Amino acid sequence: MAQQKTDPNYKIIAENRRARFDYFIESDLECGIVLMGSEVKSLRTGQCNIAESYASVEDGELYLINSYISAYKQAGVFGHDERRRRKLLVSRKELSRLWAAVGREGMTLVPLVIYFNHRGIVKLKIGVAKGKKVADKRETSAKRDWGRQKQRLLKQNV
């Protein structure tokens, strides 16, 4: 991980911070994404939102649905649709594992982070997740608040 922070090519483009609050993330997977040139240029400027998107297995392929990549102004007529379905690249073994996980009760595929890896290639990390109930969300926020309070108390005593 330390190598990624010092690497000039590694850059987080967008992060779905709400996903960890709304879902129990059971496992995660790094996958490639099929993009047009204007989409990559737009991602280089950091204009992306994956907060309301999800991944789905359709017709034996994995797609990212409802993600937003803003239009690249210099692309002109060769631009892209901002909310189009984007194909995700995973191995057949991983695809069958994801398809089986989604088939179970309450499981979904949630995008966690989209980033440029150390080689400058766009990657997407998706999580196999189960939705939290309201009580679980309250418990999560209570733990977070208690952690903050504990840090304040320790800081005052030092």
Side-chain angles (χ1 to χ4, degrees), residues 54-101:
Y54 62 95
S56 175
V57 179
E58 298 173 0
D59 300 327
E61 294 179 338
L62 187 63
Y63 290 98
L64 180 65
I65 300 169
N66 202 29
S67 63
Y68 175 79
I69 298 176
S70 68
Y72 188 63
K73 291 181 177 80
Q74 286 81 7
V77 295
F78 301 104
H80 62 274
D81 184 22
E82 295 167 343
R83 289 208 182 263
R84 74 177 182 92
R85 292 179 348 152
R86 293 167 178 90
K87 185 176 176 181
L88 300 177
L89 305 172
V90 293
S91 67
R92 284 191 181 144
K93 182 180 176 183
E94 290 294 338
L95 183 65
S96 64
R97 185 180 69 84
L98 293 174
W99 187 69

Side-chain angles (χ1 to χ4, degrees), residues 19-20 23-28 110 112 126-130:
R20 298 205 187 271
Y23 300 98
F24 292 113
I25 308 296
E26 292 190 0
S27 65
D28 59 353
V110 180
L112 301 175
I126 58 174
V128 178
K130 184 173 180 97

Side-chain angles (χ1 to χ4, degrees), residues 11-15 43-44 46-48 113-116 122-123:
K11 178 186 173 190
I12 293 177
I13 302 165
E15 189 173 4
L43 289 175
R44 289 251 179 239
Q47 299 171 348
C48 176
V113 64
I114 187 168
Y115 59 95
F116 287 104
V122 178
K123 296 290 183 178

